[in-house]
Amino acid sequence: MERYYSYSRFIKEYFGEKLYKICIDGGFTCPNRDGTLATGGCIFCSEGGSGEFTENASLSVSEQIHLGKSQTSRKYQGEHYIAYFQAFTNTYAPVDRLRALYEEAITAPEIVALSIGTRPDCITPEILDLLEELNKRKPVFIEMGLQTSHDSTASFLNRAYPTETFTKTCHALAEAGIRVTAHIILGLPGETLDMELDTIRYLNTLPVSGIKISMLYVLKNTVLASYYEQHPFHILTMEEYINHLIICLSQLRKDIVIERMTGDGPKDLLIVPKWIGHKRPVLNTIHKEMKQRNFTQGGSLCQKNL
């Protein structure tokens, strides 16, 4: 019994085969770091801009694709890949530069789709036109960091844009025929399970196609690390996180693809919680709990008292 709409199922349905992502560093920064909107970035963001697993930005896109293929050859024997621009804000540049980078990626015959991580306030009409044009040649998937639908929490996180901006950009991308994935975080300081469910209900009203969910974790050399040291707050246990996750997913629209259910930050940077550093056991426990609670996405769920 399939209890949720998995990313692997979506990829096989969409492309007819299993695919592997090659993470590419386009050498971007972020308006939330360079002083345009703020400095320091979102308080949880690492110095690598969530791109610790990308290739070297000093290499060309073609070189990074070649290197990514060689590094995954032992565990992936397929011929096709998704080029994933991951680190920092990957639409934060002049259109001409974006076109050159994206074109170099999709020109490679082994690349069958383009995945781009960005902010909703960094997609101008000109960039949207470029994305729509490229999407007619090879699928373009946009991932946007929402984290929470609550502007009060977003202000604490230094997200530096209102939730309404996410709403408008999501609709604009969908109208252009571009698939949107939202990133959210559970366990944010001051947020309750009910507030997390508000974020799920908010996403259910939007033309969102996918969701990536992460547990809040604290990394070294971040603003959050300094805050946590000075103002320790409750970090969800694995049991608490899984309970929050399953309840949230039970309220998630059935057609939204669940692309990630847990995060696993770099172990050499991870401060807390240590349990997220063991991704496979965490996922196994999630699936076991789903079965025990008769969970289905957007459907049934046996409640559990913690």
Side-chain angles (χ1 to χ4, degrees), residues 1-19:
M1 176 183 177
E2 187 172 67
R3 299 185 179 276
Y4 61 91
Y5 194 176
S6 69
Y7 186 61
S8 60
R9 172 186 154 196
F10 162 74
I11 290 295
K12 289 179 181 178
E13 289 176 347
Y14 197 98
F15 296 98
E17 62 181 321
K18 180 180 178 180
L19 296 177

Side-chain angles (χ1 to χ4, degrees), residues 32-95:
N32 202 11
R33 284 178 174 267
D34 67 6
T36 300
L37 295 175
T39 58
C42 295
I43 65 172
F44 54 81
C45 192
S46 68
E47 293 177 319
S50 300
E52 283 78 14
F53 305 110
T54 59
E55 304 297 345
N56 191 330
S58 66
L59 300 176
S60 69
V61 170
S62 298
E63 290 171 330
Q64 291 187 55
I65 291 173
H66 177 75
L67 183 59
K69 287 169 58 180
S70 64
Q71 290 177 339
T72 61
S73 60
R74 290 186 178 181
K75 53 185 175 181
Y76 176 65
Q77 305 302 318
E79 299 180 355
H80 299 128
Y81 302 81
I82 297 174
Y84 182 24
F85 286 84
Q86 181 182 22
F88 296 106
T89 304
N90 293 273
T91 59
Y92 186 49
V95 173

